[in-house]
Amino acid sequence: MKVNITVMDNKVVIKLEGSLYVEDALLLRTKALAYFQKGHNNFLIDLSQVDYIDSSGLGALVALQKRALEHHGALKLHGLTGVVKELFELTRLNKIFEIV
Amino acid sequence: MRYFIFVFTDKEGFGFLYRMLICLAFKNKEGLLLIDKFNCDCASLEEFRLAREAIRENLNKICPAYSMQLFVAINEAVNNAFFHGINDHKGTQVTIDIIRNKQDLCIRIKHNGEGFIPEYIDCTATSEVYNDSGRGIDIIRHYVDSLEFSACGREVTMHKKLK
């Protein structure tokens, strides 16, 4: 999985590409947490180029959203399609994330 | 009916990366190459990582209509085996067997680790949606027609009806 992180208008934009497996979930969590330590609390995760996310990847996004809320910020998702969108729906995570 | 035997071994010198994949394949009436049996042994999550694409490709040949759904189920079941069943014991391995019959596809994933009590693995139906984990089994159930644990959680068998 490719991870591209940019900061725009004080918002951390994380663009993911490929399949998000268990080892990628750990990497994503580690990279994103580094931005919390720098004081950021607003995140946008672009999943438009992600063709699969496993349950550990879903768990990583939940953990990051909780962290963002704890820091009085937000974590939004963008570009859910295909199996990724289906997995968010069947796990009901589409109800707890703001999807833009 | 023409039969072929494919043997895939690693070419990168890491030992047996995904030990060995043996497929028995045949050509159907349309000349499409179908594989009716697939086996993969992984001694670590790293080996499974290297084997994933081969599993995806072979599922696409075995059962293109459900290949992604079945891959999702296999990936979750293998993750469960490594993270809940094996507990990092040396010498353990996870075996994935996929057998296609005319109207049914059977996937069996087993390991020789400690095992687990399947009832203790939570599902989203009963767990909090904000939990970081506990979604794997529910995801598997969504994509297969039956799911059964045996051998004290060391073996899981899934069936998918082919239409």
Side-chain angles (χ1 to χ4, degrees):
Chain A
M1 185 192 69
K2 290 181 184 174
V3 183
N4 182 35
I5 303 179
T6 54
V7 180
M8 292 191 301
D9 300 329
N10 215 27
K11 182 185 283 186
V12 181
V13 180
I14 303 177
K15 187 170 176 60
L16 305 176
E17 190 178 330
S19 298
L20 207 165
Y21 294 112
V22 61
E23 65 272 12
D24 305 306
L26 183 63
L27 180 73
L28 171 63
R29 200 185 287 224
T30 304
K31 286 191 172 186
L33 288 178
Y35 282 85
F36 281 110
Q37 289 174 349
K38 292 175 187 172
H40 292 282
N41 62 359
N42 277 305
F43 289 76
L44 174 67
I45 301 192
D46 185 347
L47 297 169
S48 60
Q49 298 301 312
V50 174
D51 65 354
Y52 172 57
I53 180 169
D54 70 12
S55 61
S56 57
L58 295 172
L61 294 178
V62 171
L64 292 175
Q65 193 207 36
K66 282 194 285 192
R67 184 66 68 97
L69 293 174
E70 285 168 7
H71 286 73
H72 308 291
L75 184 144
K76 297 176 183 178
L77 303 179
H78 169 73
L80 279 67
T81 58
V83 173
V84 174
K85 186 179 179 187
E86 193 173 283
L87 286 163
F88 271 86
E89 289 169 354
L90 80 91
T91 54
R92 297 177 292 143
L93 290 176
N94 59 323
K95 305 287 184 189
I96 68 162
F97 282 102
E98 185 175 348
I99 299 169
V100 295
Chain B
M1 188 176 291
R2 294 173 63 187
Y3 283 86
F4 302 87
I5 296 177
F6 296 94
V7 178
F8 300 91
T9 57
D10 74 283
K11 296 176 182 176
E12 299 175 47
F14 291 109
F16 290 110
L17 289 181
Y18 38 99
R19 303 290 166 81
M20 187 164 61
L21 306 174
I22 299 176
C23 310
L24 292 174
F26 63 92
K27 283 187 175 179
N28 67 1
K29 289 176 183 175
E30 292 77 31
L32 181 67
L33 190 67
L34 295 175
I35 298 167
D36 66 351
K37 191 174 183 181
F38 178 74
N39 169 268
C40 177
D41 293 334
C42 303
S44 65
L45 195 62
E46 175 63 9
E47 285 193 8
F48 178 60
R49 185 183 71 79
L50 294 165
R52 278 192 201 116
E53 286 310 309
I55 293 169
R56 274 176 95 152
E57 286 173 16
N58 280 289
L59 280 171
N60 205 31
K61 290 174 183 171
I62 296 170
C63 183
Y66 300 111
S67 62
M68 193 60 201
Q69 298 176 8
L70 295 169
F71 176 75
V72 170
I74 290 170
N75 187 59
E76 293 295 342
V78 173
N79 282 351
N80 275 343
F82 279 116
F83 289 100
H84 300 294
I86 284 179
N87 289 334
D88 289 334
H89 282 198
K90 287 182 179 176
T92 54
Q93 72 176 29
V94 174
T95 300
I96 305 162
D97 288 307
I98 305 171
I99 301 169
R100 177 190 157 147
N101 299 311
K102 278 185 179 177
Q103 295 177 326
D104 178 74
L105 194 128
C106 175
I107 300 166
R108 188 178 59 198
I109 293 165
K110 59 183 177 183
H111 65 85
N112 58 351
E114 286 184 3
F116 57 88
I117 300 171
E119 289 76 15
Y120 285 2
I121 292 191
D122 214 343
C123 298
T124 51
T126 54
S127 63
E128 289 293 326
V129 74
Y130 279 98
N131 284 354
D132 292 2
S133 59
R135 297 178 178 85
I137 300 293
D138 213 38
I139 289 171
I140 294 172
R141 284 205 174 103
H142 181 80
Y143 286 123
V144 298
D145 295 309
S146 72
L147 171 69
E148 186 180 326
F149 291 96
S150 57
C152 299
R154 294 186 192 92
E155 190 169 309
V156 57
T157 306
M158 302 175 273
H159 285 274
K160 181 76 177 177
K161 290 175 188 169
L162 304 177
K163 295 172 184 173

